[in-house]
Amino acid sequence: MPTDRILIVDDDALILQALSRILQSEGYDVVAHTDPVKAAEERDFTLVITDFMMPQLNGIELLGLLKAKVPDAVRMLLTAASDFKVASEAVNRGEVYRLLGKPWTMSELTASVRQAVEHYHLVQENSRLAREVAAKNAELMSVNHNLERLVIERTNGLLDGMISALDYRDTETQWHSRRVALFSRRIAMELGISGLELEIIEQGALLHDIGKIGVRDSILLKPGPLTPDEWVEMKLHPEIGYRMLSKMPYLLQASMIVWQHQERYDGQGYPRGLKGKDIHVGARIFCVADTLDAITSDRPYRKGRSLQVAKDEIKRCSGTQFDPEVVESFLRIPDGDWAKIREQVEGLEAEENKRFDGKPILGPGKRMTPPPAPKA
Ligand SMILES: [Fe+2]
């Protein structure tokens, strides 16, 4: 450990000499000045001990200058009893660490200097530790953040697989949920929604039917109309989805859309019969996007119908099934945008098929069962 350097300042050369000798004999490195103006230029010291009454610059003024330039150094003031009041005010203002009475006793001087030097090192060690803790915290936060991102990525991957499986099982097209998600996003943008809310709406639309995992095949894929009891089970799927997703904090908002995606603007939907703006805006948007996709997409048993047919149907149900404000926004969107989204999803499909030698798992029309009855 390097020797501590002590700066001493006194216009009385004899006092300076005496001080210097004592401190050197205690093992300190000493730099001494009779001129306070010169002393004010010093930069490298652990402790400064200065006289109070000096020409040009008094001790408190000198310590003020040194505090600005070497804030970490400990500052001590030598004062005669007559200057004690002024000096103690300087202590109270935090400019001086300790006063040393003049004349001093040897033991008082060496003990005070030792304590001041120890204080300096404690403060240094403390701030070193604080810096280390801050750096470790930042490191931990970044590790934590990366882990969280990884968990979200993996969870999304898992959910993606589940959605693909569900889309196959129910609508016979793997890409229904992805199209509806992007359609919903486009309508939301038209409504002036942006940022995180936009992401949430896309996510909610993507996951809307995930609760169908909990609906039995005999009901979900039933070719004929459902019995009242079967309907009860079918109508559970929004809540099953909500319960699944709301356990994941980052999907909590999206899970609200999942819960409400079968509600209708006029209150005739399910599971809770919510009405108007009580329904999450993402769910109100989703309903329009879902109808658009259902009408315009090919199914194994029929060709998709034109965009105009979808537009007419959505317009017809404005105010009953759909929120008129959402319908208005939807109708403002140029036709080409829907085609672009379809192309985008087809691109995803082609990419995925490429990974499996260009073979789709189940092309339209391959399924042998009769078409399922339309579900609300
Ligand atoms: Fe649904």
Side-chain angles (χ1 to χ4, degrees):
M1 203 168 147
T3 317
D4 286 295
R5 197 159 189 249
I6 300 178
L7 170 63
I8 50 176
V9 193
D10 199 312
D11 56 329
D12 184 330
L14 284 176
I15 295 180
L16 203 61
Q17 219 172 36
L19 261 176
S20 197
R21 252 199 322 268
I22 297 167
L23 295 174
Q24 275 167 344
S25 73
E26 289 289 307
Y28 299 110
D29 199 1
V30 175
V31 52
H33 281 285
T34 46
D35 180 356
V37 177
K38 283 224 172 88
E41 287 163 18
E42 290 290 342
R43 291 289 173 276
D44 180 21
F45 54 92
T46 300
L47 167 67
V48 50
I49 304 172
T50 178
D51 183 24
F52 177 56
M53 284 301 286
M54 293 182 292
Q56 287 175 288
L57 213 56
N58 73 35
I60 293 172
E61 288 165 340
L62 171 63
L63 292 183
L65 288 175
L66 291 172
K67 184 186 180 182
K69 289 168 183 165
V70 193
D72 289 350
V74 182
R75 295 172 296 277
M76 278 169 69
L77 191 67
L78 282 168
T79 49
S82 54
D83 307 321
F84 202 77
K85 191 173 179 300
V86 192
S88 58
E89 277 165 15
V91 174
N92 290 339
R93 287 197 303 272
E95 285 158 14
V96 177
Y97 167 72
R98 180 172 291 178
L99 298 177
L100 216 59
K102 240 180 174 183
W104 63 81
T105 65
M106 182 78 162
S107 59
E108 186 195 2
L109 175 70
T110 53
S112 298
V113 166
R114 203 170 36 247
Q115 277 173 19
V117 169
E118 271 170 17
H119 174 81
Y120 172 85
H121 287 295
L122 273 177
V123 170
Q124 293 299 305
E125 182 63 3
N126 199 24
S127 56
R128 188 188 65 79
L129 285 174
R131 279 195 305 273
E132 220 168 83
V133 167
K136 286 276 175 230
N137 272 347
E139 213 175 284
L140 268 177
M141 265 170 77
S142 139
V143 168
N144 211 8
H145 181 77
N146 285 342
L147 268 177
E148 219 165 274
R149 199 177 39 78
L150 208 65
V151 169
I152 290 177
E153 252 170 44
R154 295 207 171 151
T155 310
N156 284 347
L158 192 70
L159 290 171
D160 220 41
M162 279 160 79
I163 292 157
S164 297
L166 254 173
D167 277 352
Y168 266 126
R169 183 166 163 243
D170 186 22
T171 62
E172 299 175 63
T173 148
Q174 188 188 355
W175 304 96
H176 158 73
S177 296
R178 252 156 284 210
R179 272 195 310 271
V180 172
L182 293 176
F183 287 165
S184 296
R185 184 185 179 94
R186 180 63 190 89
I187 300 170
M189 283 165 69
E190 193 64 26
L191 273 162
I193 293 168
S194 61
L196 183 64
E197 207 185 348
L198 203 56
E199 303 304 319
I200 289 167
I201 290 173
E202 184 179 338
Q203 218 166 30
L206 183 70
L207 299 167
H208 69 278
D209 264 347
I210 199 135
K212 282 187 177 168
I213 279 174
V215 178
R216 280 174 293 163
D217 276 1
S218 58
I219 295 171
L220 189 67
L221 307 177
K222 186 175 175 183
L226 300 180
T227 66
D229 280 350
E230 287 168 339
W231 261 116
V232 170
E233 181 168 336
M234 183 57 138
K235 285 183 176 182
L236 288 177
H237 81 272
E239 190 168 341
I240 297 171
Y242 167 71
R243 288 189 185 205
M244 281 171 67
L245 301 179
S246 60
K247 285 178 195 148
M248 292 173 255
Y250 85 99
L251 289 175
L252 185 65
Q253 289 275 345
S255 73
M256 296 303 292
I257 299 173
V258 172
W259 197 9
Q260 297 177 10
H261 81 272
Q262 296 284 6
E263 302 287 359
R264 285 172 51 122
Y265 192 72
D266 58 8
Q268 300 302 303
Y270 65 87
R272 289 182 291 165
L274 297 178
K275 216 172 177 173
K277 308 282 186 211
D278 286 347
I279 305 166
H280 191 293
V281 64
R284 281 181 272 134
I285 290 171
F286 162 81
C287 292
V288 172
D290 192 42
T291 300
L292 169 66
D293 191 60
I295 294 177
T296 56
S297 294
D298 290 341
R299 288 290 159 94
Y301 45 89
R302 65 150 173 79
K303 274 300 269 178
R305 283 162 290 168
S306 71
L307 178 61
Q308 195 52 51
V309 173
K311 279 181 164 183
D312 291 343
E313 175 63 9
I314 289 166
K315 217 190 293 180
R316 190 181 67 78
C317 300
S318 175
T320 50
Q321 193 177 345
F322 307 123
D323 175 357
E325 214 180 303
V326 174
V327 172
E328 250 175 60
S329 296
F330 161 70
L331 293 172
R332 270 201 310 272
I333 297 169
D335 291 1
D337 285 22
W338 307 119
K340 262 185 235 153
I341 293 173
R342 278 195 177 278
E343 272 168 34
Q344 193 183 337
V345 175
E346 276 159 20
L348 289 174
E349 188 175 1
E351 224 170 86
E352 172 134 340
N353 289 339
K354 222 184 332 175
R355 287 175 51 223
F356 297 96
D357 301 330
K359 284 183 218 128
I361 306 171
L362 219 170
K366 298 255 176 78
R367 192 162 153 157
M368 299 310 288
T369 48
K375 294 172 193 92

